[in-house]
Amino acid sequence: MAVTLQIQSVIYHNEKASLLRALDSLSNAVRVNRETAKELGDVAVCYGDASASPVFSNEEIGEIEARFAPFFTFRYTYFHENTGTAKGHNRMGQDCTADYMMIMNPDVLV
């Protein structure tokens, strides 16, 4: 039986290119798992933004959602405050219904 997974990162003034590189890495990992081990079901990748202003525009969020839709659901939440890491993860995780939650730094490449 496939497991569900929520992967979440709190971002703070990160460079878009670095965040997109991490999403590319995650999409590749999900693709490889589904082609080989077939252990992953639904995957959600959540970015919680604690920056002074949003890192991504609504248009960019739509493009990211479409680009990675074959691999995972992308959720972007702008917090409107500097939550810090722990509070940001708690906010994103409070409604998590996935079997597993993975907390990772936004610049991790898997």
Side-chain angles (χ1 to χ4, degrees):
M1 179 186 203
V3 298
T4 57
L5 175 65
Q6 177 168 304
I7 303 167
Q8 57 185 52
S9 296
V10 174
I11 62 176
Y12 183 77
H13 298 289
N14 296 78
E15 294 180 9
K16 289 178 190 179
S18 175
L19 297 171
L20 292 172
R21 188 170 39 252
L23 292 173
D24 280 330
S25 174
L26 287 171
S27 68
N28 188 54
V30 170
R31 178 190 59 78
V32 168
N33 179 277
R34 287 185 177 152
E35 290 175 358
T36 57
K38 300 178 180 161
E39 295 170 341
L40 285 177
D42 292 336
V43 176
V45 176
C46 307
Y47 277 177
D49 191 347
S51 306
S53 60
V55 170
F56 292 113
S57 68
N58 288 337
E59 182 179 334
E60 290 168 322
I61 294 166
E63 291 169 1
I64 292 168
E65 289 170 339
R67 176 177 170 183
F68 294 106
F71 310 103
F72 51 75
T73 301
F74 179 75
R75 297 184 195 132
Y76 176 87
T77 303
Y78 178 63
F79 294 138
H80 299 277
E81 68 174 319
N82 182 356
T83 59
T85 303
K87 185 176 181 180
H89 281 296
N90 286 340
R91 278 192 189 178
M92 287 186 289
Q94 69 186 1
D95 296 325
C96 178
T97 59
D99 296 319
Y100 294 96
M101 179 190 302
M102 183 167 91
I103 295 173
M104 70 180 225
N105 286 344
D107 56 353
V108 170
L109 301 179
V110 294

